[in-house]
Amino acid sequence: MYAQMIKTAHSGVHKREDMTEQERAFQDRIDAGEKIEPRDWMPDDYRATLIRQIGQHAHSEVVGQLPEGNWITRAPTLERKAILLAKVQDEAGHGLYLYSAAETLGESRDELVRLLHEGRMKYSSIFNYPTLNWADIGAVGWLVDGAAIVNQVALQRTSYGPYSRAMVRICKEESFHARQGYSAFMAMALGTPEQKRMAQDALNRMWFPCLMMFGPSDKDSVHSEQSMAWKIKVATNDELRQKYVDQTIPQIEYLGLDLPEAGIVWNEARGHYDFDMPDWSEFFNVLKGNGPCNSDRMADRVNAWEDGAWFRDGLMAHARKARARKMAAE
Ligand code: 3HC
């Protein structure tokens, strides 16, 4: 369904004077803070925008397992291994909640996966960067999941009921993820001089890719204006990015590390940190598929899907037999 609706998902901002009566009534519900539920009437492009965002979000959770899954066998202690295993497993669960939320909009998980594998849907840019060592794994938990939480806490208030409710549960688990990351990272930052050097290097490399997670700056964000009007998004990309910077700088200072770039300065008048924006040409290049790990990530996902075909077939055969047995007994 989304494949046919892709144009609708990019159809621009709706003006009240151009809306039909039904669309105006829908907008009034949104403005009054009501949640929209699966059986409620909704404009096609509200549905398409949600399928795009929820589908992309689900893909991010699933692809996001790869950079960390790669380190489960190499975690430095049994305790860290068990924690990382639980965390990566949670990400698979988050993917499932989100694919289920997309199903309530009439889009199947198989179709979304197919569109991802054909390169017609995106996943978060951050997962196209490598995890080179154990300090990177701490940094992913702390900085990447930390960024995801800032975005997802806001999304708990999104207007679509099933998405909003999925976010409540996901945020609880994400806060464990960020805390375990900070704990692993702190052990490195407060460790030997070599460990501290590794922690600083991980922070420096991941800083700008993490800022990119919030999407392009507001002036270049294609969907923000309409998504904010529909309360699919409740804060803009730049607002959330600022919130993330403001909460993360004191954590970096607590660890005794250098700030990752020279532009970070507290601005008393604004009551926020000033900071440099990432190189947006790098961001758009990663979105086009040219990041350091895009082709590896997609190859891993496509192989996993193809290698799992026998298992999905087995489950379906079992379900068919169980149904036939049940019907015969009735
Ligand atoms: N990575 C990949 N694509 C991105 C992106 C990013 N970081 N930021 C923006 N984009 C894409 C958009 O999807 C859009 O693509 P399209 O034009 O082909 O549809 C385009 O860039 C323009 O950006 P917009 O700002 O107009 O797009 P949105 O209004 O959708 O805002 C968003 C982008 C803020 C990421 C929003 O989609 C969102 O809040 N999504 C839900 C949260 C999410 O997907 N998080 C992913 C990380 S989850 C995670 O990290 C797992 C955790 O467990 C670690």
Side-chain angles (χ1 to χ4, degrees):
M1 180 203 280
Y2 178 68
Q4 286 93 51
M5 292 174 101
I6 285 177
K7 274 212 183 69
T8 328
H10 291 83
S11 64
V13 181
H14 293 224
K15 295 197 186 76
R16 193 164 179 94
E17 58 269 26
D18 299 333
M19 290 179 193
T20 63
E21 207 173 306
Q22 201 170 26
E23 285 167 347
R24 267 199 291 273
F26 176 82
Q27 188 63 49
D28 289 343
R29 289 190 62 198
I30 299 274
D31 294 344
E34 281 182 42
K35 291 275 183 247
I36 306 302
E37 296 298 336
R39 292 196 181 142
D40 295 346
W41 182 86
M42 61 186 84
D44 284 348
D45 37 0
Y46 175 85
R47 184 185 299 277
T49 301
L50 276 170
I51 294 174
R52 177 187 62 78
Q53 181 169 319
I54 298 173
Q56 175 171 322
H57 196 163
H59 298 326
S60 304
E61 301 283 353
V62 172
V63 178
Q65 294 176 97
L66 296 170
E68 288 174 300
N70 192 29
W71 277 88
I72 291 171
T73 53
R74 290 178 284 168
T77 65
L78 189 57
E79 187 187 27
R80 294 278 179 211
K81 193 192 293 278
I83 292 171
L84 188 60
L85 190 59
K87 194 249 183 215
V88 171
Q89 185 174 290
D90 278 356
E91 306 297 1
H94 295 178
L96 287 181
Y97 307 153
L98 287 161
Y99 286 125
S100 301
E103 275 174 354
T104 67
L105 291 156
E107 188 57 289
S108 74
R109 179 173 151 196
D110 283 3
E111 174 65 359
L112 291 174
V113 170
R114 185 179 71 81
L115 291 170
L116 173 71
H117 292 178
E118 288 176 358
R120 295 165 72 192
M121 283 190 83
K122 299 185 171 78
Y123 57 90
S124 182
S125 50
I126 188 69
F127 301 120
N128 293 307
Y129 290 85
T131 41
L132 302 177
N133 57 45
W134 182 252
D136 286 17
I137 296 302
V140 166
W142 166 39
L143 294 170
V144 174
D145 289 62
I149 292 174
V150 169
N151 176 289
Q152 292 174 157
V153 163
L155 283 173
Q156 291 179 114
R157 290 182 285 123
T158 190
S159 58
Y160 187 55
Y163 192 24
S164 154
R165 290 188 286 274
M167 282 301 118
V168 172
R169 180 154 178 194
I170 287 178
C171 281
K172 288 200 176 104
E173 292 173 355
E174 292 287 7
S175 63
F176 147 64
H177 297 174
R179 279 204 302 271
Q180 67 81 33
Y182 197 63
S183 148
F185 196 79
M186 193 189 295
M188 297 293 286
L190 306 181
T192 64
E194 175 60 8
Q195 286 172 322
K196 184 169 181 175
R197 194 198 57 72
M198 287 170 72
Q200 183 71 56
D201 173 60
L203 168 63
N204 295 350
R205 274 183 291 109
M206 282 196 196
W207 179 251
F208 283 120
C210 285
L211 296 191
M212 293 175 194
M213 287 177 71
F214 297 92
S217 61
D218 291 349
K219 67 178 172 36
D220 295 321
S221 167
V222 195
H223 304 289
S224 279
E225 194 178 347
Q226 183 58 62
S227 289
M228 295 283 289
W230 276 327
K231 296 188 185 164
I232 289 175
K233 287 168 87 167
V234 297
T236 72
N237 300 355
D238 285 336
E239 285 166 355
L240 293 175
R241 191 169 10 248
Q242 180 73 62
K243 195 166 196 245
Y244 174 68
V245 171
D246 288 348
Q247 81 174 34
T248 307
I249 299 304
Q251 295 169 357
I252 297 173
E253 286 170 343
Y254 181 79
L255 292 171
L257 295 180
D258 295 333
L259 296 179
E261 52 103 354
I264 299 173
V265 189
W266 176 252
N267 182 325
E268 193 63 45
R270 289 200 313 120
H272 293 290
Y273 285 96
D274 291 338
F275 58 97
D276 288 341
M277 281 290 174
D279 172 359
W280 290 118
S281 62
E282 176 182 323
F283 171 74
F284 288 113
N285 204 30
V286 170
L287 259 54
K288 278 192 211 130
N290 303 323
C293 299
N294 292 61
S295 47
D296 288 350
R297 300 294 185 236
M298 284 314 296
D300 283 349
R301 285 312 312 155
V302 171
N303 288 340
W305 182 257
E306 286 171 0
D307 288 349
W310 66 272
F311 189 68
R312 291 191 300 279
D313 289 348
L315 286 176
M316 291 306 288
H318 176 74
R320 272 193 302 273
K321 277 189 191 161
R323 195 168 49 238
R325 269 198 301 271
K326 191 167 171 246
M327 282 169 71
E330 279 170 1

